[in-house]
Amino acid sequence: MRIGVPREIKSDEYRVGLTPTAVREYVARSHEVLVEQGAGAAAGYPDEAYQRAGARLAAAAEAVFADAELIIKVKEPQPEEWARLGPQHILFTYLHLAPDPLQADGLLASGCAAIAYETVTDAAGGLPLLAPMSEVAGRIAVFSAGETLLKHNGGMGLLISGVPGVPPARVCVLGGGVVGMNAARMAAGLGAEVVVVERSIPRMRELDNMFLGRILTRYSTLDAVEEEVLKADVVIGAVLTPGGTAPKLVRREHLAKMKRGSVLVDVSIDQGGCFETSRPTTHHEPTYVVDGVVHYCVANMPGAAPRTSSEALVHATLPFGLQLANRGLEALAQNRHLAKGLNVLKGQVTHPAVAEALGKPFADPYGAWK
């Protein structure tokens, strides 16, 4: 199969869909790989490294889309990329379609098969292709919160770790999944006072055992969320509905009661955000203020660490990408976990949570790819 790797064009996105090491794995299995010139440069992978791995270089994205059958990216395609997709393409990337009806319509019109990293599952019910970026995002969220708390960045002027005789920041993490666990780990490591609000009692037990009582856990109710948000100096939104829109846990009316200069970091922003006042921001303009509360809602947080993120992502996606390259869409019939990633096929929405979020009919994909 011919695999195409275009350069990412979303604002402040420096990751790349395949590293040279991954390219070599595809080439070793007799696949052709076409990489747009400069696609990996920002992540530290020069064009020469791709050539040594066996890839061909394309001068522009148009050539990549025109020649390739399987397109491997990182972030959701942008409008100019929708126009380059057709029924002959399998797109393998993060999509986050639930809060993005325009992208969904673009993919539906293209006729392509679009497989989303974030809805591929594993035998344990986890999301193996979302997990590595959730790990990065959870850790970056705490560093970003600490910076944003500083006065010159709009925060209240609080050092997240405190110093002897001065209490540290109180960090509330909404959600105890992969993002939340990594955020709690980093915040606790910096010396912050950490509370995780979670609705799974078994998960709270895991976190309690993991951190040996170093963090607090609270069962998620409306009262608990409101109480912890109002006490917090930092709130990290880390909730997820696979394929669907994130629930709005913090409402506009809460902000008026929060501490002035406190910080909201919405890691759920790719799925619409879990704060009512969230809107996507960029690494160049990461924050804005609503009712005296600073919002940090960068939609591609791992893009700030492209070398780490690209390698971690490729390690997770490579086995699935090779299955698609080896068998095409037939791989979905042979791997039910990969099949869960299929969001769009032949102009129809094929993931129930995505269809519900977008208000579109759900088309059962089983057998459709044969």
Side-chain angles (χ1 to χ4, degrees):
M1 184 174 281
R2 297 187 302 277
I3 294 99
V5 183
R7 179 176 56 85
E8 298 294 322
I9 58 174
K10 184 170 183 174
S11 176
D12 299 329
E13 183 51 67
Y14 306 112
R15 291 170 288 180
V16 64
L18 290 181
T19 63
T21 296
V23 166
R24 187 177 177 188
E25 296 294 323
Y26 283 93
V27 172
R29 291 162 176 81
S30 301
H31 301 296
E32 298 178 42
V33 182
L34 184 63
V35 178
E36 183 180 353
Q37 289 179 357
Y45 307 112
D47 289 343
E48 294 77 16
Y50 286 101
Q51 290 177 308
R52 288 194 299 270
R56 292 187 293 118
L57 296 180
E62 291 86 348
V64 174
F65 282 85
D67 193 39
E69 302 162 276
L70 172 60
I71 302 292
I72 299 180
K73 285 174 41 61
V74 178
K75 290 302 290 179
E76 68 277 1
Q78 302 301 294
E80 65 194 78
E81 295 174 310
W82 309 339
R84 296 174 183 146
L85 290 167
Q88 74 275 20
H89 287 123
I90 301 172
L91 174 65
F92 194 36
T93 188
Y94 287 116
L95 293 176
H96 299 293
L97 290 177
D100 194 350
L102 291 179
Q103 183 203 168
D105 288 342
L107 295 180
L108 291 168
S110 77
C112 76
I115 301 170
Y117 293 160
E118 71 272 11
T119 60
V120 173
T121 61
D122 60 23
L127 303 172
L129 307 192
L130 186 62
M133 295 304 93
S134 295
E135 291 168 346
V136 174
R139 299 180 187 205
I140 285 179
V142 175
F143 294 140
S144 299
E147 281 288 311
T148 307
L149 271 177
L150 301 180
K151 195 66 176 180
H152 66 277
N153 290 325
M156 64 176 68
L158 185 67
L159 184 63
I160 196 169
S161 63
V163 294
V166 181
R170 184 177 177 91
V171 177
C172 171
V173 181
L174 300 177
V178 178
V179 171
M181 183 272 288
N182 279 273
R185 174 182 174 182
M186 298 307 294
L190 290 172
E193 183 181 6
V194 182
V195 58
V196 177
V197 181
E198 168 61 43
R199 64 181 179 181
S200 166
I201 293 175
R203 182 57 174 169
M204 285 189 283
R205 290 195 180 104
E206 290 178 14
L207 292 170
D208 189 61
N209 291 332
M210 185 184 305
F211 292 102
L212 301 175
R214 175 62 183 82
I215 68 169
L216 304 173
T217 57
R218 284 198 69 177
Y219 184 78
S220 182
T221 63
L222 294 175
D223 283 345
V225 170
E226 182 170 354
E227 288 171 12
E228 293 301 334
V229 164
L230 299 189
K231 287 192 288 186
D233 303 302
V234 171
V235 180
I236 296 178
V239 296
L240 174 69
T241 301
T245 304
K248 298 294 188 285
L249 299 184
V250 178
R251 300 290 180 178
R252 175 70 182 261
E253 58 263 27
H254 292 142
L255 270 59
K257 303 174 186 177
M258 292 179 66
K259 300 176 184 178
R260 302 301 87 184
S262 58
V263 174
L264 297 179
V265 180
D266 199 341
V267 188
S268 303
I269 191 64
D270 279 329
Q271 293 295 127
C274 62
F275 309 137
E276 187 177 33
T277 46
S278 290
R279 57 177 173 79
T281 61
T282 67
H283 288 290
H284 277 103
E285 295 184 24
T287 64
Y288 60 93
V289 179
V290 179
D291 294 342
V293 177
V294 187
H295 293 55
Y296 184 102
C297 304
V298 175
N300 57 333
M301 292 184 193
R307 185 65 177 242
T308 297
S309 297
S310 295
E311 291 193 22
L313 179 60
V314 165
H315 294 163
T317 60
L318 182 59
F320 295 97
L322 288 172
Q323 291 175 43
L324 289 169
N326 292 337
R327 305 183 186 93
L329 289 180
E330 184 63 29
L332 304 182
Q334 299 175 5
N335 185 336
R336 61 187 177 89
H337 299 299
L338 180 57
K340 294 288 188 181
L342 187 66
N343 282 201
V344 170
L345 178 67
K346 299 177 182 178
Q348 296 180 302
V349 178
T350 53
H351 191 285
V354 174
E356 181 181 2
L358 293 171
K360 294 183 180 294
F362 164 65
D364 189 339
Y366 288 101
W369 49 78
K370 294 184 179 180

